Amino acid sequence: MRNQYNLKHERKLLYVVQIKTLPNIKLIITWAIVILQLITMSQTMNAQIQPAQNWHMPDLSNIPLQNASSGDYTEIKDSIPIRGTEFLIRVPNNWNGILLNDLDYRRSADSQRNLLLLKKGYALSGTARRPERLKNYDPAHEIHDLISVLDIFESVFGKPKKTIQLGCSGGGTVTLAMAEMHPDRIDGAIAGCASTSPWMANTHLDGLFVLKALIAPDLPIVNLPLTEPEISNIGKQWQKAIKEAQKTPKGRARIALAITIGQWPAWGGPGKAPIPEPDPNNVRDLQESMYQSLLKLLPSKQTFGTSMLEQAAPGQLRWNTGVDYQESFANGDTLYKVAVHKLYDEAKIDLKKDLKKINSFDRIKADPKAVKWWSSPGRTHLGKPKVPLLRINTSGDALVYPTMAQGYKELVRANGYSDFFRLVYVNRWGHCSFSLSEWLAAIETMVQRIETGHWPRTDPESLRKLAHSLVSDSEARFYNQREVKAYNRIWTPTVQDYLGQNK
């Protein structure tokens, strides 16, 4: 049986032929690449294409790649061996030489953003998230898959002039790691609402720990089951406890304290915002927003993000041994702390006593095997980007809290890598809820940084103007985020962590 596919890119025809095998003879597969130059070709596509020669290149010998040409672009759509990760590549006829690589491209290829980028001349590539990801999450494997896609792209279309890795949520997670680990494969990176998994797990733990210590000491916050009806029953108990607490001045004060210590956003969560964004100077409105947001973040089958991290590693990941919660409160949002003090005064309870009670409450220890697993390259971040990295975060992201993005900025600065890094915020409820114009402004900013070697202006006003110039009817809400004094949960692995020897 003969398998053949033809790829059309501008005026070039590329033939890949899978050679017929004879019975009773070992399978012999070869790639034959024949380039037919018809008329004048761009300098980018002039060089003969050679298969990538590194360990990231998957064995494609038994994969008859499927392609399609719409007349405007060429498409390769298939799966990578070993893990079976689906991938997609599209290269427009008017390719500008820039490739955008995205963890979620396979599923989002026909989105408004990606179709517009294709029309503008960008090539796009990437993968789909694997179905078993919930119980077998490994960002290091996702990075390997993304590099395999880059290898496939280069073997067929040649090396791009510039490659930008981008993505949101888990896609932002691997983007941060790609910027730190693979400056040989990408020229820039855009990470949206990107988590560092151990940071996210522990930041989420802190707020729940305060609630457990002061409001619901008998309810679990770690080792949560992902099975029914167990997880729903736990969720109902947490909802009941918090709703009861909200009815009293004492409970309202302690809810505000939990949000402040946890460095969670007072206005943020999944779905649609239940109330308008509060004035942070209005204590009543601010506390009500904290409560409404908290209801969406309590343990339940809808909030399994950090439980997913524990499913991945061999053991419980979260820990708060050695954490001083008085210091954590001192590092909190200035206006949130003002509200906490007023609420505690109104409730006639002692804030210092509650902080001491939290500090004396039984601590949670991580399994050293889990910490060791998450210490491996690609599974956490070190704050050392080797290529230009633009990080964007929504203010109302209650999965990857904006304080985590601030913490990464602090770590980058401490490591001396600030010239490579910029952080911008968008004032909007939700996780990865960026508008079309905001995404395009981020991409254009990165292109300018790569091409000129200098960052263009990234202040909110400049980014809003840029966004509106690219898509006039799309909302652009870049703004100056009020940051906390310091992010509480920066962590980078020690030698003992790598060896699994920390107790």
Side-chain angles (χ1 to χ4, degrees):
M1 178 179 179
R2 183 180 298 273
N3 294 312
Q4 176 178 300
Y5 67 94
N6 302 328
L7 294 176
K8 296 181 179 179
H9 184 84
E10 294 186 1
R11 300 179 178 88
K12 178 181 295 183
L13 297 179
L14 177 135
Y15 296 95
V16 179
V17 181
Q18 188 176 45
I19 305 301
K20 181 178 180 180
T21 60
L22 298 175
N24 303 320
I25 298 179
K26 290 184 178 181
L27 183 65
I28 302 175
I29 302 296
T30 185
W31 281 61
I33 301 179
V34 180
I35 301 177
L36 179 61
Q37 186 85 28
L38 297 178
I39 336 177
T40 56
M41 299 291 295
S42 66
Q43 185 175 2
T44 303
M45 301 302 296
N46 235 350
Q48 184 174 350
I49 301 172
Q50 298 292 338
Q53 299 295 324
N54 62 56
W55 70 281
H56 296 295
M57 186 64 182
D59 178 9
L60 300 177
S61 57
N62 292 316
I63 298 183
L65 296 177
Q66 303 299 314
N67 80 288
S69 178
S70 70
D72 296 324
Y73 61 84
T74 297
E75 175 181 288
I76 300 177
K77 187 176 185 180
D78 216 283
S79 61
I80 301 171
I82 303 176
R83 281 180 292 279
T85 306
E86 295 179 332
F87 74 90
L88 176 66
I89 296 170
R90 284 178 178 173
V91 181
N93 292 342
N94 63 333
W95 185 26
N96 60 16
I98 299 175
L99 171 64
L100 304 175
N101 196 42
D102 184 353
L103 175 72
D104 295 311
Y105 181 60
R106 173 76 181 244
R107 294 287 184 261
S108 65
D110 293 327
S111 67
Q112 183 185 17
R113 184 197 76 177
N114 287 336
L115 289 176
L116 181 57
L117 288 167
L118 197 66
K119 185 177 180 180
K120 286 178 173 289
Y122 291 93
L124 296 101
S125 65
T127 60
R129 302 191 187 197
R130 291 176 291 111
E132 70 276 17
R133 189 173 184 266
L134 174 61
K135 292 187 177 180
N136 191 25
Y137 175 52
D138 190 345
H141 285 173
E142 293 177 340
I143 292 167
H144 186 277
D145 288 341
L146 287 166
I147 296 223
S148 293
V149 172
L150 294 180
D151 288 336
I152 295 168
F153 185 98
E154 291 184 16
S155 72
V156 177
F157 298 103
K159 185 175 178 62
K161 288 191 300 184
K162 301 295 179 185
T163 299
I164 298 172
Q165 182 68 40
L166 80 164
C168 205
S169 192
T173 298
V174 295
T175 295
L176 292 181
M178 290 276 283
E180 294 186 352
M181 298 170 59
H182 293 291
D184 57 322
R185 301 309 305 270
I186 64 173
D187 301 282
I190 304 169
C193 294
S195 70
T196 300
S197 296
W199 299 18
M200 181 173 79
N202 284 331
T203 301
H204 190 60
L205 170 67
D206 285 340
L208 291 177
F209 186 77
V210 174
L211 296 172
K212 181 177 177 67
L214 300 180
I215 294 176
D218 296 328
L219 296 184
I221 57 177
V222 294
N223 292 318
L224 299 174
L226 296 181
T227 55
E228 291 289 8
E230 292 84 1
I231 186 62
S232 288
N233 289 336
I234 291 172
K236 290 176 183 177
Q237 293 175 54
W238 267 111
Q239 289 279 328
K240 180 180 179 181
I242 298 305
K243 288 179 179 179
E244 287 298 318
Q246 182 67 9
K247 295 177 182 179
T248 67
K250 180 171 63 176
R252 290 192 290 271
R254 289 171 171 167
I255 287 172
L257 179 63
I259 296 291
T260 304
I261 285 180
Q263 298 187 324
W264 299 7
W267 184 73
K272 295 183 178 180
I275 57 176
E277 184 177 12
D279 176 357
N281 293 292
N282 185 315
V283 174
R284 300 282 178 223
D285 288 351
L286 181 63
Q287 197 283 331
E288 177 66 21
S289 184
M290 289 176 170
Y291 165 67
Q292 294 292 344
S293 297
L294 176 60
L295 291 178
K296 292 178 170 288
L297 305 176
L298 294 170
S300 73
K301 63 181 179 180
Q302 283 80 32
T303 59
F304 55 74
T306 52
S307 296
M308 181 180 79
L309 306 181
E310 293 173 17
Q311 297 287 325
Q316 202 283 117
L317 169 63
R318 288 173 272 192
W319 74 88
N320 63 356
T321 49
V323 174
D324 181 352
Y325 282 105
Q326 292 189 25
E327 182 180 351
S328 297
F329 176 70
N331 286 337
D333 181 287
T334 301
L335 295 182
Y336 291 12
K337 289 188 292 184
V338 169
V340 168
H341 281 289
K342 289 184 177 179
L343 289 165
Y344 265 80
D345 287 344
E346 291 176 5
K348 294 181 172 56
I349 52 177
D350 192 327
L351 175 58
K352 290 182 179 180
K353 286 185 178 180
D354 267 4
L355 289 171
K356 288 181 180 179
K357 183 176 181 180
I358 297 166
N359 266 342
S360 63
F361 204 72
D362 289 343
R363 297 308 178 96
I364 294 168
K365 297 180 180 179
D367 187 327
K369 293 180 180 179
V371 177
K372 177 182 178 180
W373 195 90
W374 284 105
S375 297
S376 298
R379 293 173 180 159
T380 191
H381 305 123
L382 304 178
K384 297 179 179 180
K386 311 299 192 308
V387 297
L389 170 61
L390 177 63
R391 186 162 180 166
I392 56 177
N393 220 99
T394 48
S395 60
D397 185 351
L399 179 60
V400 180
Y401 312 121
T403 50
M404 293 183 214
Q406 177 187 334
Y408 189 81
K409 180 180 72 173
E410 293 168 0
L411 186 58
V412 167
R413 183 187 300 122
N415 288 331
Y417 285 78
S418 293
D419 286 348
F420 278 126
F421 184 74
R422 291 294 183 272
L423 170 61
V424 298
Y425 296 99
V426 170
N427 186 24
R428 188 174 294 113
W429 171 282
H431 178 61
C432 289
S433 53
F434 303 108
S435 71
L436 174 62
S437 66
E438 288 159 357
W439 268 118
L440 294 182
I443 293 169
E444 178 60 27
T445 296
M446 181 54 61
V447 170
Q448 290 182 33
R449 171 61 178 83
I450 292 171
E451 291 183 344
T452 67
H454 302 283
W455 285 104
R457 293 179 65 90
T458 56
D459 60 279
E461 183 178 358
S462 297
L463 287 172
R464 286 194 297 267
K465 288 181 179 178
L466 175 60
H468 288 141
S469 73
L470 297 170
V471 187
S472 60
D473 60 348
S474 175
E475 184 180 55
R477 301 193 65 182
F478 295 104
Y479 87 125
N480 286 316
Q481 168 89 354
R482 185 181 66 257
E483 295 186 332
V484 296
K485 180 180 178 182
Y487 174 63
N488 286 325
R489 284 305 202 136
I490 291 176
W491 169 80
T492 54
T494 65
V495 173
Q496 287 73 27
D497 292 328
Y498 280 119
L499 297 175
Q501 294 177 350
N502 271 339
K503 300 296 184 181

